[in-house]
Amino acid sequence: NAGVTQTPKFRVLKTGQSMTLLCAQDMNHEYMYWYRQDPGMGLRLIHYSVGEGTTAKGEVPDGYNVSRLKKQNFLLGLESAAPSQTSVYFCASSYGRVYERQYFGPGTRLTVT
Amino acid sequence: SQQGEEDPQALSIQEGENATMNCSYKTSINNLQWYRQNSGRGLVHLILIRSNEREKHSGRLRVTLDTSKKSSSLLITASRAADTASYFCATAFNAGGTSYGKLTFGQGTILTVHP
């Protein structure tokens, strides 16, 4: 099993450009999450999904949109990138509840200039 | 905020020594988890301890939980250079009802183990 995979691994955007980050998991997990990690800030939850076709806001959702059209995929979109969105983005999934063990992807390093 | 706070922020030790990291939090929890992150990689789950448990072991890892003090500690015994990483505690809260719960991460402890 590949576990949780993320595409792309690195990306540089100019302010105002848009992009989509793809997360895929092959563990048949119901719950999926998008986090951002910034120096000294730990991980902060952006959006999450508790099942196919459902999404919910996390701690820092502004400027991001998500979609979960298939159970195995969770997409994170930036419609108009801003320098404040420069960060490392992690996708995670869990079999059970939001507060149970989570499995993380390798991360996407995004720089917005 | 329920966010866990790790202490110390950074820890530097020699191979073979024990490493202890602490996590404090503010509200009641369902469970507390510890994760490791190697440089440039994703987080890896180490251990989960539930609110009704006081101590848990996994290999060289020992985790304790004191709900009266709202604190937890992670002990790595006989450390190795390969243990060099950031360690995060995550506090899990479930309000019940229609709430899906929350898992909130602290800022982490950077552990460096010198060969």
Side-chain angles (χ1 to χ4, degrees):
Chain A
N1 289 349
V4 179
T5 58
Q6 292 183 232
T7 309
K9 289 186 170 54
F10 303 93
R11 185 72 186 268
V12 178
L13 287 179
K14 294 187 188 308
T15 298
Q17 288 184 320
S18 63
M19 78 164 294
T20 300
L21 281 67
L22 171 64
C23 175
Q25 53 93 6
D26 61 1
M27 297 174 283
N28 201 34
H29 285 172
E30 286 292 335
Y31 295 74
M32 296 186 74
Y33 319 86
W34 275 107
Y35 293 91
R36 60 178 289 173
Q37 183 178 37
D38 302 291
M41 300 289 288
L43 270 76
R44 293 183 291 169
L45 182 65
I46 304 171
H47 285 282
Y48 64 101
S49 168
V50 298
E52 183 178 316
T54 74
T55 63
K57 294 180 180 179
E59 182 185 353
V60 287
D62 294 342
Y64 305 94
N65 57 75
V66 288
S67 64
R68 184 108 179 260
L69 299 180
K70 293 183 179 180
K71 186 177 183 179
Q72 63 267 34
N73 295 337
F74 195 28
L75 279 63
L76 177 71
L78 286 73
E79 290 186 349
S80 180
S84 61
Q85 294 177 305
T86 293
S87 187
V88 181
Y89 291 85
F90 288 99
C91 176
S93 69
S94 65
Y95 177 73
R97 297 291 185 177
V98 168
Y99 49 89
E100 295 296 330
R101 171 182 179 172
Q102 296 186 7
Y103 295 76
F104 281 80
T108 294
R109 185 173 294 275
L110 175 67
T111 302
V112 183
T113 61
Chain B
S1 168
Q2 185 203 323
Q3 184 179 31
E5 296 182 2
E6 287 96 339
D7 171 63
Q9 290 187 331
L11 181 60
S12 181
I13 60 174
Q14 295 295 127
E15 230 175 6
E17 295 180 340
N18 295 340
T20 300
M21 289 158 268
N22 303 296
C23 174
S24 60
Y25 57 93
K26 295 178 181 175
T27 63
S28 297
I29 58 172
N30 177 280
N31 67 65
L32 186 144
Q33 304 173 34
W34 286 91
Y35 289 79
R36 183 188 74 230
Q37 183 181 34
N38 290 90
S39 181
R41 309 291 290 272
L43 277 72
V44 174
H45 184 269
L46 294 175
I47 200 163
L48 181 154
I49 186 166
R50 301 197 184 277
S51 60
N52 61 352
E53 297 175 311
R54 291 296 166 259
E55 188 170 313
K56 210 162 181 181
H57 296 257
S58 177
R60 294 183 295 113
L61 305 181
R62 172 178 171 252
V63 169
T64 60
L65 179 64
D66 187 334
T67 53
S68 66
K69 295 182 179 178
K70 293 186 170 56
S71 67
S72 173
S73 66
L74 170 67
L75 169 67
I76 304 174
T77 60
S79 64
R80 305 166 182 166
D83 295 327
T84 294
S86 294
Y87 291 82
F88 295 87
C89 74
T91 49
F93 174 70
N94 177 29
T98 58
S99 169
Y100 292 109
K102 289 179 63 175
L103 186 65
T104 306
F105 289 82
Q107 295 182 16
T109 293
I110 300 171
L111 173 66
T112 303
V113 181
H114 300 280

